[in-house]
Amino acid sequence: MGKSTQPLLKRCKALGINPVVMGYTKESKRNQKEVRRAKKSEYGLQLMEKQKLRFIYGVLEKQFRKYYVMATKKTGVTGEVLLQILESRLDNVVYRMGFAKTRQQARQMVNHGHITVNGKKVDIPSYLVRVGDVIAIKEESRASAGIKTMVLANGDKVVPGWLEVDAEKFTGKVVSLAARSDIDYAVKENLIVEYYSINNKEEFRWLAKTCLKVSKNLKVFHLNRLTVPILITRSFMPTRSKQVLVQQLETL
């Protein structure tokens, strides 16, 4: 995870996020007066929604785009599936269960090996949980005064319906995957889908031009699958988009 040096409350205000979503109860007291800002373009709105989700879950761009590609390959509404994938991250599940105050704290617990999944230690925060998985705090870690205090302090935290928690035993279970109605913050996921769809189209055009340029330099008058895949496989485009690109280039 990349480290952000910008103050959290300042970042929350810029992205229009309530600090409670991040696990904080404080609010910024600076510049409380309403400030008129220039109207954002369509691209600006799409970018802000993407940055909002990345900031909430602490995900870098490369990994976030990977989640988007995963969402396009699954059945269902792409935006909702993307949210479901983000909610399924182990660090987020630990946070949702009330074992940590913030997602950053939950990520640290996972990294330090305090969390088990189905009885086995998992120290990868981006691990995606499945229905039926049992998440627990490791036996040795339960004796820690710090962890006990943390779990007790979050005892009144509302646990979403797709999770079951037994705070006394320091365990929880994934009953189902998160639904759109379980998301407790405002986000327009359709704008994120539009953002990446536009970028894919631009990447499509760039690859087409690049392939044509390469074919001319090599004096190749007929494009085939031997001249195209090297460039295409380096992109983050969905598999279907790559196949369409190959088919279209072969007809040129």
Side-chain angles (χ1 to χ4, degrees):
M1 175 190 172
K3 185 178 179 180
S4 175
T5 56
Q6 188 177 23
L8 184 135
L9 295 180
K10 186 176 181 180
R11 185 66 172 158
C12 285
K13 186 174 181 180
L15 294 173
I17 302 171
N18 190 326
V20 175
V21 175
M22 306 298 296
Y24 294 88
T25 55
K26 295 190 298 183
E27 289 189 8
S28 176
K29 295 180 180 179
R30 300 176 63 184
N31 299 328
Q32 291 295 327
K33 294 181 181 179
E34 186 176 350
V35 180
R36 282 195 168 187
R37 298 180 182 272
K39 187 178 180 181
K40 287 186 178 290
S41 64
E42 186 177 352
Y43 173 80
L45 293 172
Q46 294 167 353
L47 180 62
M48 190 172 76
E49 291 300 312
K50 176 181 74 75
Q51 297 295 73
K52 183 191 295 185
L53 273 191
R54 279 189 52 207
F55 179 65
I56 290 174
Y57 293 97
V59 179
L60 294 177
E61 175 61 30
K62 185 175 180 180
Q63 192 170 25
F64 191 84
R65 189 163 187 173
K66 178 184 174 183
Y67 289 149
Y68 168 76
V69 173
M70 287 173 59
T72 60
K73 295 178 180 180
K74 293 189 176 184
T75 56
V77 181
T78 302
E80 294 181 5
V81 175
L82 176 60
L83 292 174
Q84 189 180 80
I85 292 172
L86 290 168
E87 282 289 309
S88 299
R89 284 174 55 97
L90 181 58
D91 55 356
N92 179 73
V93 172
V94 171
Y95 164 72
R96 291 291 190 188
M97 287 181 171
F99 295 157
K101 183 180 178 182
T102 64
R103 289 182 180 84
Q104 189 174 5
Q105 198 175 60
R107 182 178 292 109
Q108 190 176 31
M109 288 181 66
V110 176
N111 280 329
H112 290 183
H114 295 301
I115 303 299
T116 63
V117 179
N118 298 326
K120 296 181 180 179
K121 185 182 78 172
V122 177
D123 56 4
I124 303 172
S126 60
Y127 177 87
L128 299 179
V129 300
R130 300 177 181 179
V131 177
D133 282 352
V134 177
I135 317 299
I137 296 177
K138 198 168 62 172
E139 287 284 349
E140 295 83 352
S141 303
R142 296 177 189 180
S144 169
I147 289 180
K148 279 184 179 180
T149 304
M150 191 174 4
V151 174
L152 289 173
N154 295 321
D156 57 346
K157 189 172 183 177
V158 179
V159 179
W162 56 284
L163 297 173
E164 286 182 353
V165 177
D166 187 343
E168 293 181 358
K169 295 182 178 179
F170 298 94
T171 62
K173 186 177 181 180
V174 182
V175 180
S176 63
L177 294 178
R180 180 64 182 87
S181 57
D182 294 316
I183 305 302
D184 57 356
Y185 54 85
V187 62
K188 297 178 181 177
E189 66 275 8
N190 60 305
L191 294 181
I192 300 172
V193 176
E194 290 174 10
Y195 173 87
Y196 283 115
S197 297
I198 292 171
N199 281 358
N200 278 343
K201 289 178 182 177
E202 291 176 353
E203 188 174 12
F204 183 94
R205 295 191 192 98
W206 177 84
L207 281 170
K209 289 179 182 178
T210 304
C211 289
L212 285 173
K213 186 176 180 181
V214 170
S215 66
K216 288 177 182 177
N217 291 340
L218 296 176
K219 296 182 180 181
V220 178
F221 298 99
H222 179 71
L223 287 175
N224 52 51
R225 291 184 183 274
L226 296 177
T227 61
V228 177
I230 296 176
L231 291 171
I232 296 179
T233 52
R234 290 179 178 271
S235 72
F236 287 97
M237 295 172 65
T239 306
R240 179 56 185 163
S241 298
K242 293 179 183 179
Q243 292 173 351
V244 172
L245 177 58
V246 171
Q247 293 171 1
Q248 291 197 8
L249 287 173
E250 288 180 345
T251 60
L252 295 176

